[in-house]
Amino acid sequence: GAGVSQTPSNKVTEKGKDVELRCDPISGHTALYWYRQSLGQGPEFLIYFQGTGAADDSGLPKDRFFAVRPEGSVSTLKIQRTEQGDSAMYLCASSLQGGPGANVLTFGAGSRLTVL
Amino acid sequence: AQSVTQPDIHITVSEGASLELRCNYSYGATPYLFWYVQSPGQGLQLLLKYFSGDTLVQGIKGFEAEFKRSQSSFNLRKPSVHWSDAAEYFCAVGAMTGGSYIPTFGRGTSLIVHP
């Protein structure tokens, strides 16, 4: 596609429910990133995919957060047993290839998650 | 590990006035530096980037930034601010961390423009 697409744009859920957030990167981009942005804060790194594999998941909370990218394109971020502290904007970004240099991240509009 | 500091949480300027947003970074080698802008409810849009070469870089919407290695700074400037520039601005440093390229963002500076 022309840009990075994220769905849903808004999600309101009850504490304890599971949610799934989807990211469709720019076609041909091999690198995909998930960030979390809390109110009044900058984006916080969660996980980085290079192709189908998670190259770095050091920012992903280990117990309830899972992310996959099975075919090297669309990625899904799943949050199990949501807590009120999970409320945030979840941003997805992609770049042509992983690594420094001319690989600028292009961001989607984000998925705003509210846990009641 | 790299880090980014944006010391100003809010900046208020009058329309037509000049603007400078501060950014300081911490990284052991030459970093890749970025400024992004975020309008309410939107994702981040790249304004400009520095990889190497000329330390004064030009971006979109009339913005520029200057890399100063001695001060570990990458401040964003605009000579004349428009009301539509009101938004959140994020400085970021891209660096290798444990073999992965992970851009790290500052907490952002909110720009308020008075008519």
Side-chain angles (χ1 to χ4, degrees):
Chain A
V4 178
S5 175
Q6 291 189 247
T7 55
S9 55
N10 257 296
K11 177 70 176 180
V12 180
T13 191
E14 293 179 345
K15 178 182 172 182
K17 301 280 190 183
D18 297 353
V19 297
E20 284 192 1
L21 308 177
R22 175 189 166 105
C23 173
D24 197 345
I26 292 172
S27 179
H29 279 196
T30 63
L32 186 146
Y33 297 78
W34 283 99
Y35 284 82
R36 175 171 61 184
Q37 185 179 21
S38 300
L39 200 61
Q41 301 297 316
E44 173 194 8
F45 170 74
L46 295 177
I47 187 169
Y48 153 56
F49 287 92
Q50 181 59 45
T52 60
D56 191 318
D57 65 355
S58 59
L60 201 67
K62 290 295 183 278
D63 54 346
R64 298 182 297 107
F65 285 65
F66 303 91
V68 293
R69 193 186 185 198
E71 297 178 356
S73 178
V74 171
S75 175
T76 302
L77 177 65
K78 183 172 184 177
I79 308 172
Q80 295 181 337
R81 304 181 304 281
T82 53
E83 301 174 356
Q84 289 180 333
D86 298 333
S87 296
M89 175 77 90
Y90 289 82
L91 296 169
C92 177
S94 69
S95 68
L96 189 58
Q97 53 187 323
N103 298 301
V104 176
L105 271 61
T106 300
F107 282 84
S111 292
R112 179 166 297 284
L113 174 65
T114 303
V115 182
L116 301 177
Chain B
Q2 67 270 26
S3 66
V4 177
T5 302
Q6 293 182 249
D8 303 306
I9 297 175
H10 302 283
I11 290 282
T12 301
V13 299
S14 297
E15 190 170 16
S18 63
L19 170 71
E20 182 169 31
L21 302 183
R22 295 184 291 166
C23 172
N24 291 96
Y25 67 90
S26 173
Y27 182 59
T30 300
Y32 299 90
L33 296 162
F34 309 86
W35 275 98
Y36 283 84
V37 61
Q38 185 179 37
S39 298
Q42 301 299 311
L44 279 71
Q45 180 186 18
L46 180 70
L47 282 177
L48 48 76
K49 60 186 183 290
Y50 171 77
F51 290 152
S52 64
D54 193 345
T55 56
L56 183 64
V57 294
Q58 303 296 320
I60 62 171
K61 304 184 180 186
F63 285 92
E64 66 178 26
E66 186 172 13
F67 169 57
K68 292 186 177 180
R69 184 188 302 275
S70 62
Q71 299 177 20
S72 297
S73 69
F74 189 57
N75 294 349
L76 181 72
R77 300 194 295 248
K78 186 169 185 178
S80 177
V81 170
H82 188 263
W83 64 266
S84 61
D85 293 325
E88 194 82 18
Y89 290 81
F90 294 95
C91 181
V93 57
M96 298 301 292
T97 303
S100 296
Y101 175 69
I102 308 294
T104 299
F105 288 80
R107 66 171 295 166
T109 298
S110 179
L111 175 63
I112 301 163
V113 180
H114 281 315

Coordinates of all heavy atoms in Angstrom, one line a residue, chain A residues 20-100:
Chain A
E20 N -6.4 -7.5 19.8 CA -5.4 -7.6 18.7 C -5.3 -6.4 17.9 O -6.4 -5.8 17.5 CB -5.8 -8.8 17.8 CG -5.5 -10.2 18.4 CD -5.7 -11.3 17.4 OE1 -6.0 -11.0 16.2 OE2 -5.5 -12.5 17.8
L21 N -4.1 -5.9 17.6 CA -3.9 -4.8 16.8 C -3.1 -5.2 15.6 O -2.2 -6.0 15.6 CB -3.1 -3.7 17.6 CG -3.6 -3.4 19.0 CD1 -2.7 -2.4 19.7 CD2 -5.0 -2.8 18.9
R22 N -3.5 -4.6 14.4 CA -2.9 -5.1 13.2 C -2.2 -4.0 12.5 O -2.6 -2.8 12.5 CB -4.1 -5.6 12.2 CG -3.7 -5.9 10.8 CD -4.9 -6.2 9.9 NE -4.5 -6.2 8.5 CZ -4.5 -7.3 7.8 NH1 -4.8 -8.5 8.4 NH2 -4.2 -7.3 6.5
C23 N -1.1 -4.3 11.8 CA -0.3 -3.4 11.1 C 0.0 -3.9 9.7 O 0.5 -5.1 9.6 CB 1.0 -3.1 11.8 SG 2.2 -2.1 10.9
D24 N -0.3 -3.2 8.7 CA 0.0 -3.5 7.3 C 1.1 -2.5 6.8 O 0.8 -1.4 6.5 CB -1.3 -3.4 6.5 CG -1.2 -4.2 5.2 OD1 0.0 -4.5 4.8 OD2 -2.2 -4.4 4.5
P25 N 2.3 -3.0 6.6 CA 3.4 -2.0 6.3 C 3.4 -1.7 4.8 O 2.6 -2.2 4.0 CB 4.6 -2.9 6.6 CG 4.2 -4.3 6.4 CD 2.8 -4.4 6.8
I26 N 4.3 -0.8 4.5 CA 4.4 -0.4 3.1 C 5.0 -1.7 2.3 O 5.9 -2.4 2.8 CB 5.4 0.8 2.9 CG1 4.7 2.0 3.5 CG2 5.8 1.0 1.5 CD1 5.7 3.2 3.6
S27 N 4.4 -1.9 1.1 CA 4.8 -3.1 0.4 C 6.3 -3.1 0.1 O 6.8 -2.1 -0.4 CB 4.0 -3.1 -1.0 OG 4.3 -4.2 -1.7
G28 N 6.9 -4.2 0.4 CA 8.3 -4.3 0.1 C 9.2 -3.9 1.3 O 10.4 -4.2 1.2
H29 N 8.7 -3.4 2.3 CA 9.4 -3.0 3.5 C 9.7 -4.3 4.3 O 8.7 -4.9 4.7 CB 8.7 -2.0 4.3 CG 8.9 -0.6 3.8 ND1 8.6 0.5 4.6 CD2 9.4 -0.1 2.6 CE1 8.9 1.6 3.9 NE2 9.3 1.3 2.7
T30 N 10.9 -4.6 4.5 CA 11.2 -5.8 5.3 C 11.3 -5.6 6.8 O 11.1 -6.5 7.6 CB 12.6 -6.4 4.8 OG1 13.6 -5.5 5.1 CG2 12.6 -6.7 3.3
A31 N 11.6 -4.4 7.2 CA 11.7 -4.1 8.6 C 10.4 -3.5 9.1 O 9.8 -2.6 8.5 CB 12.8 -3.1 8.9
L32 N 9.9 -4.0 10.3 CA 8.7 -3.5 10.9 C 8.9 -3.3 12.4 O 9.5 -4.2 13.1 CB 7.5 -4.5 10.6 CG 6.1 -4.1 11.1 CD1 5.1 -4.7 10.2 CD2 5.8 -4.5 12.5
Y33 N 8.4 -2.2 12.9 CA 8.6 -1.8 14.3 C 7.3 -1.6 15.0 O 6.4 -1.0 14.4 CB 9.4 -0.5 14.5 CG 10.8 -0.6 13.9 CD1 11.1 -0.5 12.6 CD2 11.9 -0.7 14.8 CE1 12.4 -0.5 12.1 CE2 13.2 -0.7 14.3 CZ 13.5 -0.6 13.0 OH 14.7 -0.6 12.5
W34 N 7.2 -2.0 16.3 CA 6.0 -1.6 17.1 C 6.6 -0.7 18.2 O 7.6 -1.0 18.9 CB 5.3 -2.8 17.7 CG 4.4 -3.5 16.8 CD1 4.7 -4.7 16.1 CD2 3.1 -3.2 16.5 NE1 3.6 -5.1 15.4 CE2 2.6 -4.2 15.6 CE3 2.2 -2.2 16.8 CZ2 1.3 -4.2 15.1 CZ3 0.9 -2.2 16.3 CH2 0.5 -3.2 15.5
Y35 N 5.9 0.4 18.4 CA 6.2 1.3 19.6 C 4.9 1.6 20.3 O 3.8 1.5 19.8 CB 6.7 2.7 19.1 CG 8.1 2.7 18.6 CD1 8.4 2.3 17.3 CD2 9.1 3.2 19.4 CE1 9.7 2.4 16.8 CE2 10.4 3.3 18.9 CZ 10.7 2.8 17.6 OH 12.0 2.9 17.2
R36 N 5.0 1.9 21.6 CA 3.9 2.3 22.4 C 4.1 3.7 22.9 O 5.2 4.1 23.4 CB 3.8 1.4 23.6 CG 2.7 1.8 24.6 CD 2.4 0.7 25.7 NE 3.6 0.4 26.5 CZ 3.7 -0.5 27.4 NH1 2.6 -1.3 27.6 NH2 4.8 -0.7 28.1
Q37 N 3.1 4.5 22.8 CA 3.2 5.9 23.2 C 2.1 6.2 24.2 O 0.9 6.3 23.9 CB 3.0 6.9 22.0 CG 3.2 8.3 22.3 CD 3.1 9.2 21.1 OE1 2.5 8.8 20.1 NE2 3.7 10.4 21.1
S38 N 2.5 6.5 25.5 CA 1.6 6.9 26.5 C 1.4 8.4 26.4 O 2.2 9.1 25.8 CB 2.1 6.5 27.9 OG 2.3 5.1 28.0
L39 N 0.3 8.8 27.0 CA -0.1 10.2 27.0 C 1.0 11.1 27.5 O 1.6 10.9 28.6 CB -1.4 10.5 27.8 CG -2.2 11.7 27.4 CD1 -2.6 11.7 26.0 CD2 -3.3 11.9 28.4
G40 N 1.4 12.1 26.7 CA 2.5 13.0 27.1 C 3.9 12.5 27.0 O 4.8 13.1 27.5
Q41 N 4.1 11.3 26.4 CA 5.4 10.7 26.3 C 5.8 10.5 24.8 O 4.9 10.6 23.9 CB 5.4 9.4 27.0 CG 5.1 9.5 28.5 CD 6.1 10.3 29.3 OE1 7.3 10.2 29.1 NE2 5.6 11.2 30.1
G42 N 7.0 10.2 24.6 CA 7.5 9.8 23.3 C 7.3 8.3 23.1 O 7.0 7.6 24.0
P43 N 7.4 7.9 21.8 CA 7.2 6.5 21.5 C 8.3 5.6 22.2 O 9.5 6.0 22.2 CB 7.4 6.5 20.0 CG 7.1 7.8 19.5 CD 7.6 8.7 20.6
E44 N 7.8 4.5 22.8 CA 8.7 3.6 23.5 C 8.8 2.3 22.7 O 7.7 1.7 22.3 CB 8.1 3.3 24.9 CG 8.7 2.3 25.7 CD 7.9 1.9 26.9 OE1 6.7 2.3 27.0 OE2 8.4 1.1 27.7
F45 N 10.0 1.9 22.4 CA 10.2 0.7 21.5 C 9.6 -0.6 22.2 O 9.8 -0.8 23.4 CB 11.7 0.5 21.3 CG 12.0 -0.8 20.6 CD1 11.8 -1.0 19.3 CD2 12.7 -1.8 21.4 CE1 12.1 -2.2 18.7 CE2 13.0 -3.0 20.8 CZ 12.7 -3.2 19.4
L46 N 8.9 -1.4 21.4 CA 8.4 -2.7 21.8 C 9.2 -3.8 21.2 O 9.8 -4.7 21.8 CB 6.9 -2.8 21.6 CG 6.0 -1.9 22.4 CD1 4.6 -2.1 21.9 CD2 6.2 -2.1 23.9
I47 N 9.1 -3.9 19.8 CA 9.6 -5.0 19.1 C 10.0 -4.6 17.7 O 9.3 -3.7 17.1 CB 8.6 -6.2 19.1 CG1 9.3 -7.5 18.5 CG2 7.3 -5.8 18.4 CD1 8.4 -8.7 18.7
Y48 N 10.9 -5.3 17.1 CA 11.4 -5.0 15.7 C 11.5 -6.4 15.0 O 12.1 -7.3 15.4 CB 12.8 -4.3 15.8 CG 13.7 -4.5 14.6 CD1 13.3 -4.2 13.3 CD2 15.0 -4.9 14.8 CE1 14.2 -4.3 12.3 CE2 15.9 -5.1 13.8 CZ 15.5 -4.7 12.5 OH 16.3 -4.9 11.5
F49 N 10.8 -6.4 13.8 CA 10.9 -7.6 12.9 C 11.8 -7.3 11.7 O 11.7 -6.2 11.1 CB 9.5 -7.9 12.4 CG 8.6 -8.5 13.4 CD1 7.7 -7.7 14.2 CD2 8.5 -9.9 13.6 CE1 6.9 -8.3 15.1 CE2 7.7 -10.5 14.6 CZ 6.9 -9.7 15.3
Q50 N 12.6 -8.2 11.4 CA 13.3 -8.2 10.1 C 12.7 -9.4 9.3 O 13.1 -10.6 9.6 CB 14.8 -8.3 10.3 CG 15.6 -8.2 9.0 CD 15.3 -7.0 8.2 OE1 15.3 -5.9 8.8 NE2 15.1 -7.1 6.9
G51 N 11.9 -9.2 8.3 CA 11.3 -10.3 7.7 C 10.2 -10.9 8.6 O 9.4 -10.2 9.2
T52 N 10.3 -12.2 8.7 CA 9.3 -12.9 9.5 C 9.7 -13.0 11.0 O 8.9 -13.3 11.9 CB 9.0 -14.3 9.0 OG1 10.3 -15.0 9.0 CG2 8.5 -14.3 7.6
G53 N 11.0 -12.8 11.3 CA 11.5 -13.1 12.6 C 11.6 -11.8 13.4 O 11.9 -10.7 12.9
A54 N 11.4 -12.0 14.7 CA 11.6 -10.9 15.7 C 13.1 -10.7 15.9 O 13.7 -11.5 16.6 CB 10.9 -11.1 17.0
A55 N 13.7 -9.6 15.3 CA 15.1 -9.4 15.5 C 15.4 -8.9 16.9 O 16.5 -9.1 17.4 CB 15.6 -8.5 14.4
D56 N 14.5 -8.2 17.5 CA 14.7 -7.6 18.8 C 13.4 -7.4 19.5 O 12.6 -6.7 19.0 CB 15.5 -6.3 18.7 CG 16.0 -5.7 20.0 OD1 15.2 -5.8 21.0 OD2 17.1 -5.2 20.1
D57 N 13.2 -8.1 20.6 CA 11.9 -7.9 21.3 C 12.2 -7.5 22.7 O 11.4 -7.7 23.7 CB 11.1 -9.2 21.3 CG 11.8 -10.4 22.1 OD1 12.9 -10.2 22.5 OD2 11.2 -11.4 22.2
S58 N 13.3 -6.7 22.9 CA 13.7 -6.4 24.3 C 12.7 -5.4 25.0 O 12.7 -5.3 26.2 CB 15.1 -5.7 24.2 OG 15.1 -4.6 23.4
G59 N 11.9 -4.7 24.2 CA 10.9 -3.8 24.8 C 9.6 -4.4 25.1 O 8.7 -3.7 25.7
L60 N 9.3 -5.6 24.7 CA 8.0 -6.2 24.8 C 7.8 -6.8 26.1 O 8.6 -7.7 26.5 CB 7.9 -7.3 23.7 CG 6.5 -7.7 23.3 CD1 5.8 -6.5 22.6 CD2 6.5 -8.9 22.4
P61 N 6.8 -6.4 26.9 CA 6.5 -7.1 28.2 C 6.3 -8.5 27.9 O 5.5 -8.9 27.0 CB 5.2 -6.4 28.6 CG 5.3 -5.0 28.0 CD 5.9 -5.3 26.6
K62 N 7.0 -9.4 28.7 CA 7.1 -10.8 28.3 C 5.8 -11.6 28.6 O 5.6 -12.6 28.0 CB 8.3 -11.4 29.1 CG 9.6 -10.9 28.5 CD 9.8 -11.3 27.1 CE 11.1 -10.9 26.5 NZ 11.1 -9.5 26.1
D63 N 5.0 -11.2 29.6 CA 4.0 -12.1 30.0 C 2.7 -12.0 29.2 O 2.0 -13.1 29.0 CB 3.7 -11.9 31.5 CG 3.3 -10.5 31.8 OD1 3.6 -9.6 31.0 OD2 2.9 -10.2 32.9
R64 N 2.3 -10.9 28.8 CA 1.0 -10.7 28.2 C 1.0 -10.2 26.8 O 0.0 -10.1 26.1 CB 0.1 -9.8 29.0 CG -0.1 -10.3 30.5 CD -1.0 -9.3 31.2 NE -0.4 -8.0 31.4 CZ -0.8 -6.9 30.7 NH1 -1.8 -6.9 29.9 NH2 -0.1 -5.7 31.0
F65 N 2.1 -9.7 26.3 CA 2.3 -9.1 25.0 C 2.9 -10.1 24.0 O 4.0 -10.7 24.3 CB 3.1 -7.8 25.0 CG 2.4 -6.7 25.6 CD1 2.0 -6.7 27.0 CD2 2.1 -5.5 24.9 CE1 1.4 -5.6 27.5 CE2 1.5 -4.4 25.4 CZ 1.1 -4.5 26.8
F66 N 2.3 -10.3 22.8 CA 2.9 -11.1 21.8 C 2.7 -10.5 20.4 O 1.7 -9.8 20.2 CB 2.1 -12.5 21.8 CG 2.1 -13.2 23.1 CD1 1.1 -13.0 24.0 CD2 3.1 -14.1 23.4 CE1 1.0 -13.6 25.2 CE2 3.1 -14.7 24.7 CZ 2.1 -14.5 25.6
A67 N 3.7 -10.6 19.6 CA 3.6 -10.0 18.3 C 4.2 -11.1 17.3 O 5.1 -11.8 17.6 CB 4.5 -8.8 18.2
V68 N 3.5 -11.1 16.1 CA 3.9 -12.0 15.1 C 3.9 -11.3 13.7 O 3.2 -10.3 13.5 CB 3.0 -13.3 15.0 CG1 3.2 -14.1 16.3 CG2 1.5 -12.9 14.8
R69 N 4.6 -11.9 12.8 CA 4.6 -11.4 11.4 C 4.9 -12.6 10.5 O 6.0 -12.8 10.0 CB 5.7 -10.4 11.2 CG 5.6 -9.6 10.0 CD 6.8 -8.7 9.8 NE 6.7 -7.8 8.6 CZ 7.7 -7.2 8.1 NH1 8.9 -7.3 8.5 NH2 7.4 -6.4 7.0
P70 N 3.9 -13.5 10.4 CA 4.1 -14.9 9.9 C 4.6 -14.9 8.4 O 5.3 -15.8 8.0 CB 2.8 -15.5 10.1 CG 1.8 -14.4 10.2 CD 2.5 -13.3 10.9
E71 N 4.2 -13.9 7.6 CA 4.5 -14.0 6.2 C 5.4 -12.9 5.8 O 5.6 -12.6 4.6 CB 3.3 -14.0 5.3 CG 2.4 -15.3 5.6 CD 1.1 -15.3 4.8 OE1 0.9 -14.3 4.1 OE2 0.4 -16.3 4.9
G72 N 6.0 -12.2 6.8 CA 6.9 -11.1 6.5 C 6.3 -9.8 6.0 O 7.0 -8.9 5.5
S73 N 5.0 -9.7 6.2 CA 4.3 -8.5 5.7 C 3.4 -8.0 6.9 O 4.0 -7.3 7.8 CB 3.4 -8.8 4.5 OG 2.7 -7.6 4.2
V74 N 2.2 -8.4 7.0 CA 1.3 -7.9 8.1 C 1.8 -8.4 9.4 O 2.3 -9.6 9.5 CB -0.1 -8.4 7.8 CG1 -1.0 -8.1 9.0 CG2 -0.7 -7.7 6.6
S75 N 1.7 -7.6 10.4 CA 2.0 -8.0 11.8 C 0.8 -7.8 12.7 O 0.0 -6.8 12.5 CB 3.2 -7.1 12.3 OG 3.5 -7.4 13.6
T76 N 0.7 -8.6 13.7 CA -0.3 -8.5 14.7 C 0.3 -8.4 16.1 O 1.2 -9.2 16.4 CB -1.3 -9.7 14.7 OG1 -1.8 -9.8 13.4 CG2 -2.4 -9.6 15.7
L77 N -0.1 -7.4 16.8 CA 0.3 -7.3 18.2 C -0.9 -7.7 19.1 O -2.0 -7.2 19.0 CB 0.7 -5.9 18.6 CG 1.0 -5.5 20.0 CD1 2.3 -6.3 20.4 CD2 1.2 -4.0 20.2
K78 N -0.7 -8.7 19.9 CA -1.8 -9.2 20.8 C -1.5 -8.9 22.2 O -0.4 -9.2 22.7 CB -2.0 -10.7 20.6 CG -3.2 -11.3 21.4 CD -3.5 -12.7 21.0 CE -4.7 -13.3 21.7 NZ -5.0 -14.7 21.3
I79 N -2.4 -8.4 22.9 CA -2.3 -8.1 24.3 C -3.3 -9.0 25.1 O -4.5 -8.8 24.8 CB -2.5 -6.6 24.7 CG1 -1.6 -5.8 23.8 CG2 -2.2 -6.4 26.2 CD1 -1.9 -4.3 23.9
Q80 N -2.9 -9.8 25.9 CA -3.8 -10.7 26.7 C -4.1 -10.1 28.1 O -3.2 -9.4 28.6 CB -3.2 -12.1 26.9 CG -3.0 -12.9 25.6 CD -2.4 -14.2 25.8 OE1 -1.7 -14.5 26.8 NE2 -2.6 -15.1 24.8
R81 N -5.3 -10.4 28.5 CA -5.7 -10.0 29.9 C -5.3 -8.5 30.1 O -4.5 -8.1 31.0 CB -5.0 -10.8 31.0 CG -5.3 -12.3 30.8 CD -4.6 -13.2 31.8 NE -3.2 -13.0 31.9 CZ -2.3 -13.5 31.1 NH1 -2.7 -14.3 30.1 NH2 -1.0 -13.3 31.3
T82 N -5.9 -7.6 29.3 CA -5.5 -6.2 29.3 C -5.7 -5.6 30.7 O -6.6 -6.0 31.5 CB -6.3 -5.4 28.3 OG1 -7.7 -5.6 28.6 CG2 -5.9 -5.8 26.9
E83 N -4.8 -4.6 31.0 CA -4.8 -3.9 32.2 C -5.0 -2.4 31.9 O -4.7 -2.0 30.8 CB -3.5 -4.1 33.0 CG -3.3 -5.5 33.4 CD -1.9 -5.8 34.0 OE1 -1.1 -4.8 34.1 OE2 -1.6 -6.9 34.4
Q84 N -5.4 -1.6 32.9 CA -5.6 -0.2 32.6 C -4.3 0.5 32.2 O -4.3 1.4 31.4 CB -6.2 0.5 33.8 CG -7.7 0.1 34.0 CD -8.3 0.8 35.2 OE1 -7.7 1.1 36.2 NE2 -9.6 0.9 35.2
G85 N -3.2 0.0 32.7 CA -1.9 0.6 32.3 C -1.5 0.3 30.9 O -0.5 0.9 30.4
D86 N -2.2 -0.6 30.2 CA -2.0 -0.8 28.8 C -2.6 0.3 27.9 O -2.3 0.3 26.7 CB -2.5 -2.2 28.3 CG -1.9 -3.3 29.1 OD1 -0.8 -3.2 29.6 OD2 -2.6 -4.4 29.3
S87 N -3.4 1.1 28.4 CA -4.0 2.2 27.6 C -2.9 3.1 27.1 O -2.1 3.6 27.8 CB -4.9 3.0 28.5 OG -6.0 2.2 28.9
A88 N -2.9 3.2 25.8 CA -1.8 4.0 25.1 C -2.2 4.0 23.6 O -3.1 3.3 23.1 CB -0.5 3.4 25.3
M89 N -1.4 4.8 22.8 CA -1.4 4.7 21.4 C -0.3 3.7 21.0 O 0.8 3.8 21.4 CB -1.1 6.1 20.8 CG -1.0 6.1 19.3 SD -2.6 6.0 18.5 CE -2.9 7.8 18.3
Y90 N -0.7 2.7 20.2 CA 0.3 1.8 19.7 C 0.6 2.1 18.2 O -0.3 2.1 17.3 CB -0.3 0.3 19.8 CG -0.3 -0.1 21.3 CD1 -1.4 0.3 22.1 CD2 0.7 -0.8 21.8 CE1 -1.4 0.0 23.4 CE2 0.7 -1.2 23.2 CZ -0.4 -0.8 24.0 OH -0.4 -1.1 25.3
L91 N 1.9 2.4 18.0 CA 2.4 2.9 16.7 C 3.1 1.8 16.0 O 4.0 1.1 16.6 CB 3.2 4.1 16.8 CG 2.6 5.3 17.4 CD1 3.7 6.4 17.8 CD2 1.6 5.9 16.4
C92 N 2.9 1.6 14.7 CA 3.6 0.7 13.9 C 4.4 1.5 12.8 O 3.9 2.5 12.3 CB 2.7 -0.3 13.2 SG 3.5 -1.4 12.1
A93 N 5.6 1.1 12.5 CA 6.4 1.7 11.5 C 7.1 0.7 10.7 O 7.4 -0.4 11.1 CB 7.4 2.7 12.2
S94 N 7.4 1.0 9.4 CA 8.2 0.1 8.6 C 9.3 0.9 7.9 O 9.2 2.1 7.7 CB 7.2 -0.6 7.6 OG 6.8 0.3 6.6
S95 N 10.3 0.1 7.5 CA 11.3 0.7 6.6 C 11.8 -0.3 5.6 O 11.6 -1.5 5.8 CB 12.5 1.2 7.5 OG 13.2 0.1 8.1
L96 N 12.4 0.2 4.6 CA 12.8 -0.6 3.4 C 13.6 -1.8 3.9 O 13.4 -3.0 3.4 CB 13.6 0.2 2.4 CG 13.8 -0.5 1.1 CD1 12.5 -0.9 0.4 CD2 14.6 0.5 0.2
Q97 N 14.5 -1.6 4.8 CA 15.3 -2.7 5.3 C 15.8 -2.3 6.7 O 15.9 -1.1 7.0 CB 16.5 -3.1 4.4 CG 17.4 -1.9 4.0 CD 18.4 -2.2 3.0 OE1 18.9 -3.3 3.0 NE2 18.7 -1.3 2.1
G98 N 16.1 -3.3 7.5 CA 16.6 -3.0 8.8 C 18.0 -2.5 8.7 O 18.8 -2.8 7.8
G99 N 18.4 -1.7 9.7 CA 19.8 -1.2 9.7 C 19.8 0.3 9.6 O 18.9 1.0 9.1
P100 N 20.9 0.9 9.9 CA 21.1 2.4 9.9 C 21.3 2.9 8.5 O 21.2 2.1 7.5 CB 22.3 2.6 10.7 CG 23.1 1.4 10.6 CD 22.1 0.3 10.4

